[in-house]
Amino acid sequence: VTVSFIIMACPRLTPKAGLRSDTRLEDKSVEEYFSTRLDPSRDGWQKPEKVIEAAGVGKGDIVAVPWAGAGYFLPYLSEAVGPEGIVYASEHNKKIMEKLRQRVEELGLANVRLIESRPEAPQIPYGQADFAFVVNAQAYIDFPYAFFDNLRRGMTTGGTLVVIDWKKDSKRGPEKKLRRPKEEMSDMLRSMRMEPEAEYKLLEYQYLIVFKVISRHGKAESVWDI
């Protein structure tokens, strides 16, 4: 008896070639990357304190920040959760992680825990995070379903997921073909048992949607292909 096996690609796990990859350091040094992401003028349009207040982060909370990058939100979140809280910042790029570690030490962010991760596996401790902030990452994530599935497993049931990303027609941000519209983002996360709870009009260049994690377990109810 001859047995044959056919291996087929799963569309929701296979990225469309050439559309997305981690190009954050493609045309710049780590220093240039950090300088751009941490430009003081960003405070004017990113409004970190108002974003954190709208999300409801408070003292003693545990917050996850996957694809932490230069760690723009880390000082603000560190202050918001206080010494009783924890901020888990995960990053997979080794060069960025090394520089981020230096920044966290220089700022004395004692409640920030750095995690060396993988692009689609934030590796947040299981069931720990009350909140997760995913900021400006969608242009780089090849496997969004796997990423958010792994992320929700690091969150508490009933936890809050904050998604901030570039509006379709914003003059800031990556090229338009790499942007994930808020409607598609909401459809995908809703299928994964994460319900849109509120959308805030605080930001000029980005959409800001807050989701509630209905369950950190289970399969998606529909396939969302990138």
Side-chain angles (χ1 to χ4, degrees):
V1 178
T2 301
V3 180
S4 299
F5 295 92
I6 300 177
I7 301 176
M8 301 180 66
C10 174
R12 90 175 165 213
L13 296 180
T14 305
K16 295 178 180 179
L19 284 186
R20 291 184 172 86
S21 60
D22 186 0
T23 57
R24 291 175 295 173
L25 299 183
E26 185 175 57
D27 57 353
K28 59 179 69 69
S29 66
V30 176
E31 288 71 21
E32 290 173 322
Y33 170 77
F34 271 68
S35 177
T36 300
R37 296 303 190 276
L38 301 178
D39 187 326
S41 66
R42 179 176 177 179
D43 293 353
W45 53 267
Q46 190 65 86
K47 303 178 181 178
E49 291 97 342
K50 290 185 178 180
V51 167
I52 292 171
E53 180 182 0
V57 177
K59 301 299 181 185
D61 284 331
I62 298 177
V63 183
V65 185
W67 282 74
Y72 173 83
F73 269 94
L74 297 187
Y76 303 100
L77 288 169
S78 174
E79 181 177 359
V81 303
E84 307 86 3
I86 299 174
V87 179
Y88 289 111
S90 67
E91 173 56 51
H92 60 275
N93 185 292
K94 294 186 182 301
K95 292 182 179 179
I96 292 177
M97 173 59 88
E98 182 179 354
K99 182 71 173 177
L100 179 61
R101 193 181 304 279
Q102 294 175 8
R103 180 168 186 251
V104 168
E105 292 176 356
E106 290 172 358
L107 293 176
L109 305 180
N111 57 0
V112 173
R113 309 282 188 270
L114 297 180
I115 299 173
E116 294 185 6
S117 60
R118 300 194 303 276
E120 278 71 49
Q123 297 183 321
I124 307 302
Y126 183 77
Q128 291 292 303
D130 304 302
F131 293 84
F133 280 67
V134 183
V135 183
N136 297 345
Q138 300 311 308
Y140 311 110
I141 297 176
D142 282 322
F143 306 100
Y145 179 89
F147 168 79
F148 283 106
D149 186 45
N150 285 320
L151 177 59
R152 72 174 175 170
R153 294 173 190 276
M155 300 183 67
T156 59
T157 296
T160 299
L161 169 63
V162 180
V163 177
I164 301 173
D165 223 285
W166 303 105
K167 295 177 181 178
K168 183 178 180 180
D169 297 319
S170 169
K171 66 181 181 180
R172 289 183 180 271
E175 54 185 318
K176 292 183 179 180
K177 71 176 182 179
L178 299 180
R179 304 182 188 194
R180 288 198 169 101
K182 64 180 182 180
E183 295 82 7
E184 293 184 0
M185 182 66 64
S186 294
D187 288 345
M188 180 186 70
L189 294 178
R190 186 181 291 112
S191 78
M192 298 174 69
R193 304 298 305 280
M194 290 181 275
E195 287 293 327
E197 188 173 61
E199 180 180 354
Y200 295 94
K201 307 294 185 180
L202 293 173
L203 307 177
E204 179 180 359
Y205 305 114
Q206 302 148 300
Y207 56 81
L208 165 57
I209 308 177
V210 173
F211 297 83
K212 188 65 64 177
V213 179
I214 305 303
S215 173
R216 67 175 185 268
H217 306 287
K219 297 180 179 179
E221 297 170 1
S222 63
V223 172
W224 186 75
D225 183 17
I226 64 173

